[in-house]
Every structure is written in structure tokens, then in C-alpha cells.
Amino acid sequence: TALRFPQKLWKMVESDQFQSIWWSAGGKCVAINEGLFNEEVLGRRGPERVFGLNSMKSFLRQMNLYGFTKLRRDFQRSASLPEFLAEEAAASAHSQILYYYNPSFNINHPHLLETCKRR
């Protein structure tokens, strides 16, 4: 069966293949470098496509449909130094870093992913 949106997102965040999306806040949030994500993920064509979407707007609509909430940049500094530095570097490159939170999407509780349902 095809993976649902939350599973695809999970695989992506866990993968080393993507530089534009990562766990933030100790695995409680998803951080997305908007500019890079557009290029790296939404720009893919053919069998390489991850989501059947090609605009940030559609992607963020999916995030909202699955109960992800956007957080402000200042909600919390990253726990780890490498993560903090990556975020600072990305921020200084004038890329917008978006933070999304979903109680069912947590690195320490993979079993909760099943409860991440479309509204």
C-alpha cells in the first residue's frame, strides 16, 4: 500500500537524503528550510517525487489537514549545538525556517504516528 502523508514525512525527516527537513526541539518538531525544500523535495519529477505535490502551499495545506501547527521561530532554541548551528546557518542564508508541531509526530514515540490522521 502507498504510504500516507505522515509516514512519508517521517521517512523523509529520518533520511540523510534530505537537507531541507529535520527534527528540531529534541525530536518534538519538524523544521523545514522553505527555500531548499521547494527545490530539493517539491522540485522532483517522475519516480523521484516524494509527494504528489509541487507547491509549498499544497504541502503546508497537507500539514494542516494532518493536525500540524506552525510554531514561531522563537518558541525554543534547539537543544543540540549542531542543530542550532544548522538553523543559524540556514536562517542567515535568508531562508525561512518553518517549525511544525504535532503531538503524534515525535521522534521518541514512533508508535503515535498511527494516530496522526487526516482531519
Side-chain angles (χ1 to χ4, degrees), residues 5-110:
F5 179 82
Q7 275 95 350
K8 284 184 185 175
L9 190 64
W10 183 281
K11 283 187 78 154
M12 214 164 147
V13 180
E14 287 283 279
S15 157
D16 298 332
Q17 203 186 336
F18 301 97
Q19 303 304 303
S20 60
I21 186 166
W22 63 93
W23 289 109
S24 184
K28 291 185 188 70
C29 294
V30 177
I32 301 165
N33 177 324
E34 195 176 354
L36 191 55
F37 187 84
N38 249 319
E39 209 173 290
E40 184 183 56
V41 179
L42 303 174
R44 291 178 168 219
R45 295 289 168 260
E48 291 291 292
R49 284 179 85 173
V50 183
F51 302 106
L53 310 162
N54 40 26
S55 81
M56 200 65 193
K57 200 174 164 186
S58 323
F59 174 76
L60 296 177
R61 192 178 302 123
Q62 286 293 315
M63 293 288 279
N64 291 326
L65 279 172
Y66 279 96
F68 283 84
T69 337
K70 187 177 179 183
L71 299 169
R72 291 197 320 281
R73 167 92 178 101
D74 59 342
F75 76 99
Q76 171 177 5
R77 303 304 305 193
S78 286
S80 71
L81 185 65
E83 192 181 340
F84 174 76
L85 295 172
E87 287 171 12
E88 287 302 299
S92 65
H94 303 297
S95 287
Q96 178 89 19
I97 305 269
L98 307 173
Y99 294 95
Y100 278 86
Y101 169 76
N102 184 322
S104 304
F105 203 89
N106 185 314
I107 195 171
N108 302 311
H109 304 284

